[in-house]
Amino acid sequence: MALLEPLLELTVTAPEESLGAVLGDLAARRGRVLDSVARGGTVVVTASAPLAEVFGYATRLRSRTQGRGTFTSRPLGYERASVR
């Protein structure tokens, strides 16, 4: 038997100069980058992350992007929970 945790798909829109901070924060939240597209000074990053790691993300994203970053999320499924 395995313990499963909910997984979300995140679509993060941020200024290009904040890309490193956004990717670092996603990695710290056990996120996996699925895609990244640059569009006229902004970057759109699609990633997956466990629901438990996404709580408080809006505040952290805004502080790392000087208030210009936004994100949307949607359920993606479940995956085996990692043991800490």
Side-chain angles (χ1 to χ4, degrees):
M1 185 164 85
L3 179 63
L4 299 177
E5 65 182 342
L7 196 63
L8 296 178
E9 179 182 87
L10 304 171
T11 303
V12 182
T13 304
E16 279 185 355
E17 62 268 14
S18 302
L19 179 60
V22 169
L23 294 178
D25 192 44
L26 285 171
R29 294 172 182 272
R30 296 189 292 145
R32 286 186 226 133
V33 175
L34 305 173
D35 191 26
S36 178
V37 177
R39 293 185 195 161
T42 63
V43 64
V44 178
V45 177
T46 304
S48 64
L51 173 63
E53 300 291 341
V54 176
F55 290 111
Y57 184 63
T59 303
R60 189 69 149 305
L61 176 64
R62 286 193 184 96
S63 72
R64 292 187 181 269
T65 62
Q66 300 172 352
R68 297 184 294 165
T70 61
F71 83 100
T72 60
S73 64
R74 68 181 185 100
L76 188 59
Y78 294 88
E79 73 175 9
R80 187 178 294 247
S82 62
V83 178
R84 292 186 179 192

